[in-house]
Every structure is written in structure tokens, then in C-alpha cells.
Amino acid sequence: MKEHNHYHPVARAVKCALATGLALSLYASPSIAQENADNAAAAEQKIEKIAVVGTRSAPRSIADSPVPVDIIGADELMKSGSSDMLNMLTTTVPSLNVHANPISDAATLIRPVNLRGLSSDSTLILLNGKRRHKASVITFLGGGINDGAQGADISVIPGIALRQVEILRDGAAAQYGSDAIAGVINFVLKNNDEGGSIEVKRGEFYAGDGTSTEIAANIGMPLTDDGFVNVSMQYKNADATSRSVQRADAAAIAAAGNPFIAPITQIWGAPKIKDDITIFINSGLDLGNDREAYLFGNYSERDVSGGFYYRNPHTRGGVFSNDGGETLEVVDTTGAGGCANVPITGLNHSQITSAVGALPANCFTFFSMFPGGFTPNFGGNITDTSVTAGTKGEFKSGLMEGITYDFSGSVGRNESAFNIINTVNASLGPNTPTEFEAGKYIQLEKTFTADFVKFVPAGLYEDVTVAAGLQWTEESFEIVAGEVASWEIGPYVSQLTNGSNGFPGFQPDDAGVNIRRNRAAYIDAEAEVTEQLLMAAALRFEDYDSFGSTTNYKLTAQYRLTDDWAIRGSHSTGFRAPTVGQANVRNVRTALIGGELVDIALLPATNPVSLLKGGKELTPEESNSFALGLVYSGGNFFFTADMFRIAVDDRIGQSAEFEVTAEDRAVLRAAGVRGVESLSQVTFLTNDFDTVTTGLDLVANYTTSLFDGRSTFSLAYNWTDTEVKRFTDVTGEFKVSRLEKDLPNHRATLTWNQQWQDLGMFLRSNYYGSYQGVHADDPDLIGTGKAKITFDIELNYAINDSFSVALGAQNLFDTKAERLPQWMSDILGAKYFETSPMGINGCYYYLKGVYRF
């Protein structure tokens, strides 16, 4: 099978890669395993991998990498068992974390991922070395650390489309711009022009739910004699899971004779994923005379739906009762009168039903419509599209002679269309629908870049690499109003709440498009001063038409102590610009506050209500990073140790919840602010705290012959500690504890990859340190999650050159997440702390068949 590497000898490959304005470095991954028996002979030699991330100079050997980079090969990715890219990465790289996020509004639809203990939007995502657009979802229930974050949706990227994934664990904002505070993840698409594969996988959890079916395919085709088109697709469906018990309040109502109570009224688990289809295309064409063109992009779409909080038919405020369950709220539908509330204290179901049945015909209570209460089902349709086109080459004459170039343009769009069913707009009374289209968020980004590289003789050990470039970006965030019934103020609003209960639709006043543009220029240089010493520097200036400009720099160096030992270090400043969405988003969510379900409005920081509670216009986060590392590469053994310290000032997060008092409403009405009557609590995004994150990454890799086969042993360990140095009451103590304690300080993986002629075995152990368990984002529902160890395994058998089968399991021994105390389970019906870093679903086993051609 042939791969295209710019269709020219290695020297030209290097130059053209440099013109992308991205990093080319050689790195031997501790996580790259021998892919098949045919590679056994090659594995006797040192394996080197090229990563397009981290430096703009020529490829460097394993011992010369100036920054820490993880490279995950396609083979290991596909052995993870999961088809979700988030899970593929986090089970391989300990410094990455992701939560399951059940009952977390839009965060359930697009889950955020964390690198080195920082929020998801502090990590820059690249595809083939080009900046990837953000998701349209802003996380409001993001496990503390991601509250208010807006990162990219990497779950749309199928493993079968990738040649490798490169993770730069170092600040890189001076090289790549906003977001690269924690690091950079670059997804490299396959570029074969022939051959391909088809995979079919079926699996489910040991508990008997979450059954998933996946079909994936990849094919490489020539584009004339000088190019390629590589196409990948994936289609999957996955059932929901439930790690739930019956709520105590629902059980009590059922015990009082109510036959309409569901066996499990509130579901905690993975959402249902339906018709998840994604298509990625990568193509390139040699234009001759050291010039080439490239084009890649994707179309992805999926439907996701999951559970919400149960609405108790006796006590749910604004729907069933307004006095905590003493009486059922009754409305008069005609004005004829005689509609008094129904007392229910001490009554069983039969008595309540009789009392409701005795009401006059013009009187209505939602107990008549939902005698067992109801649980909304929240979901959305997520559509993601992108296209990047460009040309690269080398100027052959004139003042620009010898300079390589890369001109490119990218457009990315992510749309989240929200829907909620099995719920009501209570203010509409008996005329309410029970299914609502609640509106959309749309994120659109356009980026154009021009990158240049030249090798300049300077009398040093090697020529100095000088790179420079320009970038223009336009980012827009659009809110599309929901259908009228999802936000309408009905005739009974004086007694019952308006809007689709659980997730009110976006109102026309909220709808609109907000746009921001920014321009950037950078220059950097890298020089091998001597055979032992490598030094590099980068400087980047960005100007935003909203908050102004920022300038950042980076310094790196590496010194080779011996042929096998080297030390490396870096220092950089960085920034993360608040997104257009973060500055303008509006949302209403349901949360548990003091044991009661409360609707909380999130408003822009500059909204008059927010200003009244201490809100201010968002400004960029600013970072200052230091790193120091040690590298050993000798024989079949590779080892790195990297310490880091990342200080981030003015971090953006979600404020604490503030009650809107009657006095507040009077002030706002006097100022001409509309719609304040329905507000009970508000929150907003704010630059309100500073943090310092310190940590250590250890990586080791050893390859040898064992049991008449080839063995690769890999160890990866991460220690990360975050301390909040400054905060105010706008953030609150609870948010601080989540930032500092929700993620485990210690994580590690130990992998054994064994390959024989036709049989392969992949075994991995995963260690998760202790963490703070938080349930339902409630400061009163906190515990300690104990350290856990899980095991993953995959056995692969090659039937012949074309067909192979694999049997595997994640969390082989079905190790359970930290169980909630019984009193916590009684409140909301969950079994486990949903902040468990290992997930809450238990063992997942699967069978996979692969056909290669």
C-alpha cells in the first residue's frame, strides 16, 4: 500500500512540510505498537515517527525532539474498543481526561476533554496541521473545570481515517495562536492512494445495555498519476445505558398506590446515539515544479438523546405545585371560577385522583395529564462540516527564491439543533405540546493563512530555519430561535412556568449572529548552534476587533549530554481569547440547588442583570509556562520525563448562581430591561480567577523479543495539580474545589503489545488516582472517589492476508466507579459519582471483523 509524502524525495518532503508553517519533528512514541507480523523485522531497528507539530524546522530524530510529543498510531487507536475518539485518546494518554457527563444539558451531546488539567478550550485542535473550528456547544454543566468552555468536537473524527494522532504537551500560543495554552492535538489523515479496509464491530456493556453497532471503511485511490484521494466513513448506532436506581420520592408515590410511576424515573448513563455518520476526505495533487495542491474536509451528523431530571407529580414547582406539595396547582381555563387548588397532604393516589376528578370541567391540573409525573428527554442533532484547500511549494526565482510557501483557506461549521420531548410548556395549560424544537447554536469559522520558511546560512552547525506567516480569521456564533411553543408565555404564566420545561427554547430576542475578526503575524527561528545545542524562538502578534491586541513569545532549547541523554526546556507566554459564543450566549438550565430543582438563566456578561451581579465584559486569559525535560534513547529503550508549570490569569469560567430579588427586578424594569419577571437565579461567564497548574509526565517504551514473538512494553504516567491563586465571590468556594479536586492528580497506563505470526495480543492496565466525587453539580452532594485500576484487552487473529477478527474488552473485570452513599442515591436515583474519570458504565466487550484490500 503506497503512501503519498508530497510525491518527491525526502528533501522536498521536508521543505514542503515546512511550508505549512507547522511542526516537523521525529519522535518515537511509547504508545506505538508493532502493527502486524510483517513488521517484525523492521521492528528490530529503532522506530521513528514524523509529527507535524511543535517546530517549523526539519524532521528531527527521537533524541532531538525539543518538546514533549505523544504519537498514537492508527493501530493502537483502533485497539481501544471504543469508536468515540475521546475515549480512544484518554485511555492512551494519561494527561488527557474526559467525563461521561450524564444529565448535563448540551455537554452530554458534545463532551469536553481536558489536557494537563486545563479546560477543553485551552487545547488547540488541528486537522492535517490546520486549525479546526470549535463546536457550537458551550458547556454549562462541565464538571467544574469545563463550565463555560467551548472547545472543538473531536468525537466526529473516526479512527479509521487517521494515520496517527500527535499530542504536543507544551504551550504553543506563540506558534499557533489562541487556545494552545495546554498544548496542541493534531489529527493526521491517511494519504494512501491504493488499498483500504472495511471494519464491522458489535459490542455491549456487561450490564446488558449500550449495545453498539459500527461499520467503518477506508479506501485510497489515485488522482491521476501524481495524486491521491483517500476517503473514510463511519456509521454507528449505540443504545443508551442506565446506571440508576429508583428515586426515593418516586418509590414513595408508587407505594401509595400510584400505578403510573415508571420503574426507574430518572436515568443516569450514556445517551442514545442514532444514525451517527461521518465522512472524511483527504486529497493531494502534484502540480510539478515543486508545487502541489491539497484539499480535505468532512461531513458529520448524529442524533443524540438522553435523560433529564424527573418531575415529581406532587411537588414540581411551576407545573404540579407551587407550595412544595401541599396542594396541586389548578388553573381556570374559561374564567368560570370554582378552581381552587387541591390539597394532597397525607392522601394516597386513589384519594388524590378522586379529588382531581371532582374538579369542575373548566379546571385543569397537570396531574390529570401526567399522574406519574414526567421525565423530559433532551437531545439534539449535531452537524459538523469543514473544508480546507491550499497550495504549497517553493519560489524558484526573484527575491523570494528558495523560500517555501503554503497558502490555505479553511471553513468550518458546527450546528447543534436542540429538542426536548416528554415535557410541557406549563403556561399553556392543557393546550401544551409535549415535544419541542428548542432552537439552534451555530458556530462558523473562516481562516486564511500564508506561511513561509527559508533556510539561512549563519555559520552555525546547521542553517538557521526562519519562518514567518500571516493569518486572518472570522468567527461567528448564531442563536436560532426555537419554535413558538418552546418559549411562549401562555395565559397561565401567573401560576405556571413558561417555556419547554427543562430546556426552554431560545426566544426571538435572544436570536441573532455575532461576528468577530482577528489578524495575526508571526516569526520564529530555530538553529542548531552546535552539534549538541538546539535553540528556537517564536513571536506572534494578534489583533482582535473586539478586545484589542496581544503579543506572545516562546523560547525552547535542547542540549545533548551524550549520544543517549539530552535535556530540553521551554518557556512561553500564551493567551486564549473569549469566543464570540462565550461573550453572547444565553441559556436556561435545570440544576439541583439546596435539594430543589431550579431553573437557572445564563446570560451574557454584559447583560444588565449580569452587570447588577458583578458581571464584566470578557477579556483574554493569559498564561505563562515553563517546562524542563530529560530524554534517554538507547538501544530498544526510550524514556522521557517532563516537568511543567502553567500559570493562567483571568481564566474564564461560569460564575456562582445569584438569586434575582424583587428589588433587582424593580431596578431592571426601571432601566427598561424586559423579561425579568421569569428570572429566579442567574449566572454568567466571568474572568474571575487565576490558577497555577504543575505536573510531571513520564513516558517509557521498551521493545524486545519474547515468547517467540515481538513485545513492546509502554508506560505513561501523569501527575497534575491545580491550585486556584485568586478568586472572588463571583466564582465561589464550590467552583474552586471543583477546579482543584475533580480530576485525579495521578493517572498512568501500562501496556503490553505482543505480536506473533498470525496472532496478536494487546493488554493495558489503567490507573486512576483518587478524586473529588460530585453529584448533580451540587455542593451538598460531595464525596471522595477512591483510586481504581482497570484492564483492557484485545486478541487479534489474522485468518489470511485479507481477513482478521478481534475480540476485546474495556474494563475487563467490570471494576465499578465510586458508589454514591445510599442517601445520595435516594435523592436523584444515581448509582455512581458521574465525575468518575473511568466512566460509570463498567465492562464493555466487543467483536470486530476486518477486511483489508
Side-chain angles (χ1 to χ4, degrees):
M1 188 177 294
K2 184 169 60 177
E3 276 192 3
H4 276 265
N5 283 314
H6 310 294
Y7 330 112
H8 284 274
V10 172
R12 180 167 181 261
V14 172
K15 289 184 178 181
C16 289
L18 290 168
T20 66
L22 299 167
L24 277 175
S25 62
L26 285 175
Y27 184 83
S29 169
S31 58
I32 292 294
Q34 181 183 341
E35 293 189 3
N36 52 54
D38 295 333
N39 291 333
E44 296 289 348
Q45 304 173 4
K46 184 184 296 182
I47 299 174
E48 293 182 335
K49 294 288 180 179
I50 297 178
V52 190
V53 70
T55 173
R56 289 187 170 91
S57 189
R60 301 197 174 279
S61 70
I62 182 174
D64 292 333
S65 176
V67 288
V69 180
D70 294 317
I71 299 180
I72 310 170
D75 184 58
E76 182 173 353
L77 276 176
M78 301 305 287
K79 288 178 179 176
S80 71
S82 175
S83 56
D84 187 325
M85 183 57 62
L86 292 168
N87 296 333
M88 290 181 180
L89 293 178
T90 55
T91 55
T92 306
V93 181
S95 55
L96 278 169
N97 288 275
V98 66
H99 285 152
N101 293 342
I103 313 185
S104 297
D105 282 9
T108 303
L109 311 184
I110 299 179
R111 294 186 297 154
V113 65
N114 310 108
L115 177 64
R116 283 187 162 180
L118 296 177
S119 61
S120 62
D121 48 11
S122 294
T123 300
L124 177 63
I125 304 300
L126 306 177
L127 182 66
N128 276 358
K130 301 297 183 182
R131 177 181 285 264
R132 185 147 176 88
H133 60 281
K134 299 177 182 66
S136 53
V137 163
I138 299 173
T139 306
F140 303 122
L141 292 171
I145 188 173
N146 290 304
D147 290 350
Q150 186 182 8
D153 181 9
I154 67 175
S155 65
V156 302
I157 304 174
I160 199 169
L162 298 176
R163 191 168 78 231
Q164 62 186 35
V165 179
E166 305 154 0
I167 302 176
L168 169 62
R169 294 178 279 110
D170 196 46
Q175 296 167 288
Y176 300 109
S178 177
D179 305 345
I181 290 178
V184 180
I185 303 178
N186 182 37
F187 296 89
V188 183
L189 298 174
K190 291 178 178 176
N191 59 358
N192 307 93
D193 67 356
E194 61 183 11
S197 63
I198 300 174
E199 299 184 4
V200 179
K201 183 169 69 176
R202 176 86 169 179
E204 70 176 25
F205 288 94
Y206 183 76
D209 56 10
T211 302
S212 61
T213 303
E214 175 192 332
I215 301 172
N218 170 265
I219 185 171
M221 300 171 286
L223 181 62
T224 72
D225 292 334
D226 300 310
F228 73 94
V229 176
N230 194 278
V231 181
S232 302
M233 67 79 62
Q234 179 178 277
Y235 177 80
K236 64 180 178 181
N237 288 285
D239 293 338
T241 65
S242 174
R243 302 296 175 263
S244 317
V245 296
Q246 183 62 296
R247 289 171 46 139
D249 59 343
I253 296 173
N258 191 324
F260 299 100
I261 302 297
I264 300 292
T265 53
Q266 187 167 318
I267 303 299
W268 296 86
K272 179 180 181 180
I273 300 174
K274 181 181 179 183
D275 295 333
D276 184 350
I277 185 168
T278 185
I279 301 171
F280 273 73
I281 298 176
N282 187 29
S283 62
L285 180 65
D286 181 12
L287 304 176
N289 196 28
D290 283 348
R291 297 172 301 137
E292 61 189 81
Y294 56 87
L295 177 72
F296 57 88
N298 77 286
Y299 173 82
S300 307
E301 184 176 4
R302 66 185 185 274
D303 292 310
V304 184
S305 61
F308 243 39
Y309 290 105
Y310 170 62
R311 271 58 179 166
N312 185 303
H314 295 175
T315 61
R316 173 59 177 173
V319 181
F320 294 103
S321 174
N322 285 330
D323 54 19
E326 293 183 10
T327 65
L328 294 179
E329 193 71 15
V330 179
V331 297
D332 186 348
T333 60
T334 66
C339 298
N341 287 353
V342 177
I344 60 173
T345 303
L347 302 185
N348 60 30
H349 176 71
S350 177
Q351 293 168 326
I352 296 173
T353 301
S354 297
V356 170
L359 290 170
N362 61 301
C363 301
F364 172 80
T365 173
F366 273 103
F367 185 86
S368 302
M369 184 180 290
F370 294 100
F374 62 92
T375 304
N377 188 282
F378 176 74
N381 175 270
I382 312 298
T383 304
D384 186 278
T385 56
S386 70
V387 62
T388 297
T391 182
K392 62 176 71 172
E394 181 179 340
F395 294 109
K396 295 296 186 179
S397 60
L399 295 176
M400 304 288 283
E401 183 177 359
I403 297 177
T404 60
Y405 62 85
D406 183 349
F407 301 108
S408 68
S410 300
V411 178
R413 184 180 187 273
N414 186 277
E415 175 185 302
S416 300
F418 304 113
N419 58 72
I420 187 166
I421 64 175
N422 197 43
T423 189
V424 299
N425 180 339
S427 71
L428 297 176
N431 297 318
T432 178
T434 57
E435 298 183 5
F436 302 87
E437 298 295 330
K440 301 177 181 180
Y441 288 152
I442 300 174
Q443 176 78 12
L444 177 64
E445 296 180 30
K446 305 170 186 176
T447 302
F448 297 91
T449 62
D451 300 291
F452 308 93
V453 176
K454 183 174 177 61
F455 297 99
V456 180
L460 303 177
Y461 182 73
E462 293 285 354
D463 292 346
V464 177
T465 303
V466 179
L470 302 170
Q471 178 176 301
W472 179 90
T473 301
E474 180 182 272
E475 176 186 353
S476 69
F477 183 80
E478 180 178 2
I479 299 177
V480 178
E483 64 174 301
V484 174
S486 71
W487 53 263
E488 185 178 7
I489 299 175
Y492 312 109
V493 71
S494 62
Q495 294 175 260
L496 304 173
T497 57
N498 70 288
S500 44
N501 195 273
F503 193 93
F506 306 134
Q507 301 181 29
D509 286 348
D510 300 333
V513 181
N514 292 277
I515 300 174
R516 183 183 67 196
R517 299 178 180 89
N518 70 285
R519 294 148 291 277
Y522 73 85
I523 184 169
D524 70 23
E526 184 170 312
E528 290 191 57
V529 181
T530 68
E531 187 175 0
Q532 290 79 31
L533 179 62
L534 168 70
M535 300 183 70
L539 184 69
R540 187 180 184 98
F541 171 82
E542 298 220 16
D543 181 62
Y544 287 77
D545 60 12
S546 54
F547 59 80
S549 62
T550 179
T551 302
N552 295 276
Y553 66 87
K554 182 173 183 176
L555 303 172
T556 61
Q558 185 200 50
Y559 185 78
R560 178 161 294 286
L561 302 171
T562 68
D563 288 344
D564 297 330
W565 290 93
I567 57 174
R568 61 191 180 193
S570 68
H571 166 55
S572 64
T573 62
F575 77 105
R576 190 188 72 76
T579 68
V580 180
Q582 288 173 325
N584 296 281
V585 69
R586 296 168 181 261
N587 180 262
V588 176
R589 61 180 173 86
T590 302
L592 189 73
I593 303 295
E596 298 291 334
L597 291 180
V598 177
D599 290 333
I600 301 172
L602 182 136
L603 302 174
T606 53
N607 183 279
V609 182
S610 303
L611 295 174
L612 197 64
K613 298 299 181 180
K616 298 178 181 179
E617 184 175 0
L618 296 178
T619 59
E621 301 176 348
E622 296 182 347
S623 68
N624 198 306
S625 302
F626 293 89
L628 181 65
L630 180 67
V631 180
Y632 175 81
S633 177
N636 294 326
F637 183 69
F638 177 77
F639 171 80
T640 64
D642 292 279
M643 298 181 296
F644 60 90
R645 182 184 188 273
I646 308 170
V648 186
D649 293 339
D650 298 324
R651 281 185 62 171
I652 297 173
Q654 192 170 338
S655 74
E657 293 80 20
F658 296 97
E659 184 178 354
V660 180
T661 66
E663 292 77 11
D664 293 335
R665 294 189 184 93
V667 172
L668 294 166
R669 277 194 295 266
V673 179
R674 296 186 301 165
V676 298
E677 286 76 12
S678 62
L679 295 180
S680 58
Q681 291 196 350
V682 298
T683 181
F684 48 88
L685 302 184
T686 176
N687 298 92
D688 192 59
F689 57 97
D690 304 336
T691 63
V692 173
T693 300
T694 54
L696 171 67
D697 289 315
L698 300 178
V699 171
N701 185 54
Y702 178 67
T703 303
T704 188
S705 297
L706 193 66
F707 303 123
D708 297 323
R710 293 296 301 172
S711 301
T712 299
F713 297 94
S714 303
L715 170 68
Y717 165 80
N718 169 260
W719 168 73
T720 299
D721 179 74
T722 295
E723 182 180 359
V724 177
K725 291 293 189 178
R726 178 192 67 85
F727 71 98
T728 71
D729 291 340
V730 173
T731 295
E733 294 280 356
F734 178 51
K735 298 289 184 182
V736 170
S737 74
R738 302 210 67 180
L739 288 163
E740 295 182 336
K741 302 176 182 178
D742 271 17
L743 295 179
N745 292 124
H746 302 275
R747 273 206 60 202
T749 64
L750 177 61
T751 302
W752 174 20
N753 195 343
Q754 183 72 24
Q755 189 67 50
W756 293 280
Q757 185 67 26
D758 298 319
L759 182 65
M761 180 190 70
F762 182 82
L763 179 63
R764 175 171 51 220
S765 60
N766 309 282
Y767 173 79
Y768 303 90
S770 60
Y771 60 96
Q772 175 177 262
V774 178
H775 183 45
D777 203 35
D778 190 327
D780 296 325
L781 303 180
I782 293 178
T784 299
K786 302 182 185 68
K788 303 281 186 178
I789 297 177
T790 66
F791 293 88
D792 307 328
I793 190 170
E794 180 176 293
L795 300 175
N796 181 285
Y797 177 70
I799 300 172
N800 53 39
D801 290 340
S802 299
F803 290 94
S804 64
V805 294
L807 178 66
Q810 288 182 301
N811 192 356
L812 176 64
F813 300 111
D814 196 34
T815 301
K816 305 297 184 184
E818 190 67 27
R819 184 74 190 241
L820 289 171
Q822 186 61 49
W823 68 270
M824 288 191 192
S825 292
D826 288 343
I827 296 173
L828 294 175
K831 287 184 177 181
Y832 308 109
F833 284 109
E834 65 268 24
T835 52
S836 168
M838 55 177 276
I840 63 174
N841 287 309
C843 172
Y844 173 83
Y845 56 92
Y846 60 92
L847 179 65
K848 178 172 65 176
V850 181
Y851 170 66
R852 295 182 176 87
F853 55 91

